[in-house]
Amino acid sequence: MRKYKAIQEGDRWTIGEYDESYQGFITNDGICNYYFWDSKEEAEAAAEAYNTYEGEEWLGQHGFGNDRISEEDEAYESYSEEMIELYRLFKAVD
């Protein structure tokens, strides 16, 4: 199971996975410092959703943090509602 938590970065929030053995947040996973939220509550909601989501997803897949889905994409209709809601929490739906 993922262990993402909200992390404050200046005046906005990101999420990162906490690694017990490293005793710190993993910051090169394509999620941390690539996706940002305006409040701790929004970041915590995204972290919780990402921690529990078990479906197909591409967030951070390429390490650039710009993995998005588009409502105009032909495949959009085939995405699960859970995936679409996760992407909405990450503001990654065009």
Side-chain angles (χ1 to χ4, degrees), residues 2-61:
R2 297 180 188 110
K3 298 178 183 174
Y4 280 80
K5 298 179 181 180
I7 307 168
Q8 189 166 11
E9 291 286 327
D11 61 347
R12 55 189 185 163
W13 294 82
T14 186
I15 65 173
E17 188 168 23
Y18 191 79
D19 185 299
E20 298 291 338
S21 61
Y22 178 67
Q23 293 293 301
F25 287 96
I26 300 170
T27 60
N28 63 346
D29 66 351
I31 299 290
C32 185
N33 292 319
Y34 290 102
Y35 295 98
F36 289 96
W37 295 266
D38 295 328
S39 72
K40 182 178 182 180
E41 293 76 22
E42 288 177 308
E44 287 175 340
E48 180 62 28
Y50 194 57
N51 287 337
T52 59
Y53 181 74
E54 295 181 358
E56 183 178 3
E57 53 94 7
W58 304 292
L59 290 169
Q61 176 182 351

